[in-house]
Amino acid sequence: MLNRIIVEKPIHNRIVVAKPKIGVAGKTGTWRTEKPLVDNSKCKKCYQCEIFCPVNVIRVDPNTGATVDYDYCKGCGICAELCPFNAIRMEPE
Amino acid sequence: MYSRKSPLPYKMRDVVLPGDAACPGCPIPIAWKVLGAVFGEKMILVIPACCSSVVVGPYPYSSIKASVVHVAFASAAAVASGIAEALERRGITDVYVVAWAGDGGTADIGMASLSGAAERNHNIIYIMYDNEAYMNTGIQRSSATPYGAWTTTTPIIGKTEHKKDVAKIMIAHGIPYVATASIGYPHDLYAKLERAKSIHGFKFIHLHAPCPVGWRFDPRYTIKVAKLAVETGMWILYEYYDGKLRISGPSKPFIDSKRRKPIEEYLKLQGRFRKITPEKVEEIRKYVDENWRWVKLLS
Ligand SMILES: Cc1ncc(C[n+]2csc(CCOP(=O)(O)OP(=O)(O)O)c2C)c(N)n1
Ligand code: SF4
Ligand code: SF4
Ligand SMILES: [Mg+2]
């Protein structure tokens, strides 16, 4: 019986595979109670904020500085806490 | 896309997608960004029941651009072994099997399958991300919860036993590579994963990962707490291979006990140690000194 199932239905047809997607938990920016605001005149492009952002929503540009994707930023404050140049501050939503 | 030469932040960009189901300040996706920098999409993560299984999001979607196999609580190492053997039989050598399990799934219920897979020396990287309790089910103690810590199952006086040292147990297995790492030092973790990637056989990494919800601290302090664990000497970063222990860069300054920060600095940031007594702090200090004595002995 088991043999028949395996012969008739190749195994890969029965494996459930999830697809990568941005926002599996929706627009997580709505979770935020505080919002990180970047002052790029203070930014020294050290990448600390980008490296540690758990949501992977900060991008540091070597010319213009840091930008945040507010659709998904959860407002944890890690970036503001870590920035050595105080270029990021948290503001209540 | 990135090349091998581009700096770490660029390599971390692609694999972990925004909008996962992790709590704000969660250390798990930070570590996955580093995994993504090392393996790209060419990794198969084997994840037993734990917070991480929730973080990637519900079927039919996933928050990471890599294969994830969700498995029963005790079986991460066993399933990873099977996948690694299957890849080997098929001659697939550019895909890496990474068992990714919590401290409960490793130090407690997964210990038997972990020990078996290590003894058989399957070609996998096993990462125990250690948030020091069963977080997904509501902060119950595990054998990796530290002495004195509050959890919902150690509610009044905190845990009365010390943390189980899983890296030590894995060294005793005689596997080719054992390391400790911390979420606070991604460059160090990156270097360790690169080394693990280059070694055939069973690799074990014990990754310290502070959890803002379970440890009762503000999510903004995840990295600060992780670094303080190292700076106070409570968590020692090292690698063990070729029969020798090597203390890693971030921990080197703290070989000298006088340069370590007082452990109170680490404890006071965390609500789970709020009711700790001076006697218990002294007991933790002894444990820290003993750990350092052991690490120095092997190095
Ligand atoms: C056999 C079995 N027992 C219990 C559970 C319930 N359970 C799911 S996740 C979990 C806690 C996992 O703790 P840990 O491995 O430390 O990972 P964390 O959630 O802390 O990330 C438990 C007890 C289960 N899924 N299967
Ligand atoms: S941490 Fe601060 S200075 Fe560094 S890149 Fe980010 S915003 Fe700029
Ligand atoms: S507040 Fe947190 S989620 Fe938002 S950008 Fe900063 S580190 Fe990322
Ligand atoms: Mg845990």
Side-chain angles (χ1 to χ4, degrees), chain B residues 102-104 129 131-135:
Chain B
D103 50 300
Y129 76 96
N131 53 21
E132 302 191 326
Y134 291 72
M135 295 312 178

Side-chain angles (χ1 to χ4, degrees), chain B residues 123-246:
Chain B
N123 187 30
I124 63 177
I125 300 174
Y126 190 107
I127 304 177
M128 163 187 177
Y129 76 96
D130 188 2
N131 53 21
E132 302 191 326
Y134 291 72
M135 295 312 178
N136 189 39
T137 41
I139 325 174
Q140 293 84 14
R141 95 191 262 292
S142 80
S143 55
T145 303
Y147 179 86
W150 165 92
T151 65
T152 53
T153 46
T154 52
I156 313 291
I157 53 170
K159 196 183 167 198
T160 48
E161 302 78 21
H162 280 292
K163 184 178 178 67
K164 187 191 277 184
D165 191 338
V166 183
K168 215 186 225 174
I169 298 172
M170 297 320 289
I171 289 174
H173 279 72
I175 54 176
Y177 185 78
V178 178
T180 58
S182 161
I183 202 75
Y185 300 90
H187 289 85
D188 177 69
L189 174 60
Y190 178 82
K192 285 169 177 168
L193 286 167
E194 281 284 354
R195 193 185 309 282
K197 187 179 166 182
S198 72
I199 296 172
H200 193 88
F202 199 93
K203 286 85 61 179
F204 179 84
I205 298 178
H206 189 162
L207 176 68
H208 196 235
C211 162
V213 178
W215 299 12
R216 299 287 192 247
F217 61 81
D218 190 297
R220 73 179 57 206
Y221 295 134
T222 302
I223 302 304
K224 189 174 182 179
V225 170
K227 287 189 171 167
L228 272 172
V230 172
E231 289 160 358
T232 55
M234 295 233 3
W235 187 244
I236 310 171
L237 300 178
Y238 63 78
E239 290 177 290
Y240 185 94
Y241 57 94
D242 299 338
K244 197 169 173 305
L245 188 148
R246 296 150 177 91

Side-chain angles (χ1 to χ4, degrees), chain B residues 36-118:
Chain B
V38 177
F39 305 110
E41 297 175 18
K42 297 241 168 186
M43 61 176 163
I44 301 175
L45 282 177
V46 181
I47 305 183
C50 59
C51 283
S52 307
S53 9
V54 180
V55 168
V56 290
Y59 179 77
Y61 300 112
S62 149
S63 74
I64 45 177
K65 283 200 219 156
S67 304
V68 178
V69 185
H70 293 278
V71 301
F73 203 9
S75 66
V79 175
S81 305
I83 296 173
E85 289 306 306
L87 292 179
E88 214 140 292
R89 291 294 147 82
R90 290 175 179 210
I92 300 171
T93 52
D94 63 338
V95 176
Y96 296 85
V97 183
V98 179
W100 172 271
D103 50 300
T106 303
D108 296 340
I109 194 170
M111 194 38 110
S113 66
L114 169 63
S115 178

